[in-house]
Amino acid sequence: MLKVLGEAIGTRQCWCRQCQQIAAGGPTNNAIFRVADVTLNGDLASSTWTADSGNTLTFHFCPSCGTQVYAQSSARPHLMTFRLGVLDVGHDLRPQAVIWTDEAPDWAVFDPALERFPRQPPALPAS
């Protein structure tokens, strides 16, 4: 069970190669929360690798079905990045920015209303 007590501090659509692999070729759509605002119950498995940014990423997923639940970066251990699909229906979250557009395939379509970052965007506020 996932319980989020606070508001997302940001939402992003990510086109990095790791996210494309996770999302079967498309981007991931993510909401970022402070660790202090999240309660998780249940078992999760994890996998860790070094991202193109140079940071270590740890992805946490359901050990039964493999669904990605959240990720954490070594650069921002105070934050948890949740896949929008695991949040309760009706959350009304949507991407505010598109990141890692340099790694998107040439057929990718970006919402022109969203801010774009060719690679890693600036860090979100710590508090």
Side-chain angles (χ1 to χ4, degrees), residues 94-115:
R94 62 187 61 219
Q96 299 165 323
V98 182
I99 65 174
W100 287 92
T101 58
D102 278 359
E103 294 193 359
D106 60 2
W107 51 260
V109 177
F110 307 121
D111 183 337
L114 299 180
E115 186 173 14

Side-chain angles (χ1 to χ4, degrees), residues 2-127:
L2 165 66
K3 183 175 182 181
V4 179
L5 305 172
E7 297 293 318
I9 62 169
T11 54
R12 296 175 173 164
Q13 182 178 81
C14 184
W15 280 95
C16 76
R17 284 297 303 145
Q18 289 94 346
C19 283
Q20 289 178 58
Q21 291 168 343
I22 292 164
T28 59
N29 294 287
N30 309 292
I32 304 156
F33 294 90
R34 289 178 187 85
V35 169
D37 293 338
V38 175
T39 301
L40 285 169
N41 293 317
D43 294 328
L44 292 176
S46 65
S47 179
T48 301
W49 68 72
T50 301
D52 287 342
S53 64
N55 298 319
T56 300
L57 293 179
T58 303
F59 290 91
H60 301 267
F61 56 93
C62 173
S64 297
C65 70
T67 299
Q68 283 251 339
V69 177
Y70 74 96
Q72 281 187 290
S73 170
S74 60
R76 294 170 289 288
H78 61 287
L79 300 177
M80 299 170 86
T81 301
F82 283 87
R83 308 300 176 218
L84 292 184
V86 302
L87 301 175
D88 288 339
V89 173
H91 56 67
D92 82 350
L93 294 169
R94 62 187 61 219
Q96 299 165 323
V98 182
I99 65 174
W100 287 92
T101 58
D102 278 359
E103 294 193 359
D106 60 2
W107 51 260
V109 177
F110 307 121
D111 183 337
L114 299 180
E115 186 173 14
R116 289 185 212 165
F117 297 92
R119 296 190 66 79
Q120 187 69 22
L124 293 166
S127 58

